[in-house]
Amino acid sequence: MRELLTELRDWHAAGTPFALATVVAVRGSAPRAPGAAMAVTATGVAAGSVSGGCVESDVYEVATEVLTTGRTVLRTYGISDDEAFGAGLTCGGTIDVLVQPYVAAEDREILRECAETIGAGEPVALATVVRGAARPGSRRMITADRVRGSLGDQGLDAAVTDDARGLLAQGATGSTGYGPHGERRMQDVTVFVQTYAPAPRMLVFGAIDHAAATARIGAFLGYRVTVCDARPVFATRERFPTADEVVCAWPHTYLESTRVDERTVVCVLTHDPKFDVPLLAAALRTPAAYIGVMGSRRTHADRVARLREAGVDETGLARLASPVGLDLGARTPEETAVSIAAEIIQHRWGGTGRPLGELTGAIHHAGRPGV
């Protein structure tokens, strides 16, 4: 739903009824993960995607019906039937799509508050009854300190709220089974909990052309991008208009004073020892998911020697992605940024970095825990 925030806000402000289709379960290979969403207004405007194109037309028709009937619908799509021209997935997987009407003022208000919370960068979870002994489509918004809406039973509300806050802390999305009054390890009611954690951070050090290109692609990938450089003439908003923050400070000083978690990626593009060595020593003390460092192989060898002298052990050195990026033959700053982004994605999801045409087996990877 994150990619639909602008449309949902505009439709809510205009009082436009709409239906929201959400992928609530995936089995096998599928184009989109649980949480992928598509919205359709009563006037026929569509936004978002649940499958990358395979079943959108059918979901659009279901959404139109839902807006007329006012009833939530759960639709399952499996492999497409080419002979019957039936809606389905060409990838061989199966997805469950929950299509909900947002016509009633209370429902729309819950979604509006959820969208505003996401837009403000605050963590929030939206729990929705998918099937079972509770009203399908019942929803409850949950943050660390407040709730909105009900799933129809106090016990169920309490259990789901507790579990949703746990999922929110992990940044995980998924379905859980309960008894009708919130009893755990039962399957009378299936509740889908979608969590929206704040955007992960990309910290780019070194205000050079490569940093500008990396900041642009980082923003495109959904990171909250900070560019940092100690030189005030280079660390300017004009040079980095797509960055969320531009900081003029010594890199290691800034890194030691800012929040870094298991989803943060660090791109060190300075390739200057007086900046790199203290910065990397500080970065390796953080739980950052990725630490990429620009430079030639000669620069890398010199940097490693200096880091060893600074007390960094082999385990720490092994965390460095250096020289940064995948071997794409990149030449320009923009191509180099694509190479860096490709390595970040490969590291996050555990891919090989090889052409898919040379491989067999599953295309989508489960990803690394905590990323």
Side-chain angles (χ1 to χ4, degrees):
M1 188 174 73
R2 191 186 296 274
E3 67 271 23
L4 298 176
L5 288 182
T6 299
E7 289 86 353
L8 295 181
R9 286 170 176 159
D10 290 346
W11 295 343
H12 178 82
T16 303
F18 59 90
L20 184 65
T22 307
V23 177
V24 296
V26 170
R27 295 175 291 284
S29 180
R32 303 292 306 276
M38 171 181 170
V40 178
T41 70
T43 57
V45 177
S49 171
V50 294
S51 72
C54 302
V55 301
E56 259 70 11
S57 294
D58 192 74
V59 172
Y60 181 92
E61 295 300 326
V62 174
T64 301
E65 294 173 9
V66 160
L67 281 168
T68 301
T69 65
R71 293 194 298 269
T72 294
V73 171
L74 180 66
R75 186 64 62 90
T76 297
Y77 296 96
I79 189 168
S80 61
D81 183 349
D82 293 333
E83 295 298 322
F85 299 98
L89 303 178
T90 58
C91 56
T94 302
I95 62 173
D96 292 338
V97 179
L98 188 71
V99 188
Q100 305 166 262
Y102 280 86
V103 178
E106 182 180 356
D107 292 338
R108 291 163 58 82
E109 189 61 25
I110 290 174
L111 194 63
R112 180 201 62 78
E113 188 172 344
C114 185
E116 287 190 354
T117 304
I118 297 169
E122 300 175 20
V124 60
L126 188 61
T128 308
V129 173
V130 174
R131 59 166 67 89
R135 182 171 67 87
S138 301
R139 53 189 74 87
R140 185 171 175 86
M141 188 198 82
I142 301 151
T143 71
D145 57 6
R146 71 185 192 277
V147 297
R148 183 73 178 269
S150 173
L151 305 180
D153 179 88
Q154 289 185 351
L156 183 61
D157 284 344
V160 170
T161 297
D162 186 49
D163 291 345
R165 284 175 174 153
L167 290 171
L168 197 55
Q170 302 170 35
T173 286
S175 295
T176 306
Y178 299 91
H181 305 295
E183 301 89 339
R184 289 180 169 81
R185 294 184 295 277
M186 297 181 68
Q187 300 299 321
D188 297 282
V189 182
T190 300
V191 178
F192 176 68
V193 179
Q194 186 168 6
T195 63
Y196 302 92
R201 301 189 71 192
M202 172 182 280
L203 305 180
V204 182
F205 294 96
I208 62 175
D209 289 346
H210 289 81
T214 302
R216 288 196 297 272
I217 203 165
F220 176 75
L221 292 176
Y223 286 92
R224 179 174 178 80
V225 179
T226 298
V227 176
C228 176
D229 195 291
R231 301 166 297 177
V233 69
F234 294 111
T236 65
R237 169 58 63 187
E238 291 73 20
R239 287 172 55 83
F240 301 97
T242 62
D244 296 283
E245 299 173 295
V246 179
V247 177
C248 183
W250 276 82
H252 73 281
T253 302
Y254 172 72
L255 185 64
E256 290 171 343
S257 67
T258 194
R259 176 183 58 83
V260 176
D261 61 22
E262 292 81 358
R263 299 191 302 153
T264 303
V265 299
V266 178
C267 301
V268 179
L269 310 182
T270 52
H271 50 79
D272 183 334
K274 70 176 178 291
F275 293 120
D276 286 3
V277 173
L279 172 59
L280 290 173
L284 290 170
R285 292 192 293 269
T286 73
Y290 170 90
I291 304 172
V293 197
M294 178 176 280
S296 66
R297 298 192 187 282
R298 179 177 177 179
T299 300
H300 171 68
D302 177 70
R303 182 188 295 128
V304 166
R306 291 173 183 267
L307 286 170
R308 286 195 178 104
E309 291 175 2
V312 176
D313 61 18
E314 298 305 309
T315 300
L317 293 174
R319 292 180 61 196
L320 299 178
S322 178
V324 70
L326 296 186
D327 178 18
L328 304 181
R331 293 291 186 272
T332 67
E334 289 74 19
E335 290 176 346
T336 301
V338 171
S339 170
I340 294 170
E343 185 173 49
I344 290 171
I345 296 168
Q346 183 260 338
H347 182 83
R348 177 180 183 183
W349 295 109
T352 66
R354 294 173 55 197
L356 287 171
E358 295 179 359
L359 303 174
T360 59
I363 292 177
H364 302 291
H365 293 259
R368 300 178 185 276
V371 176

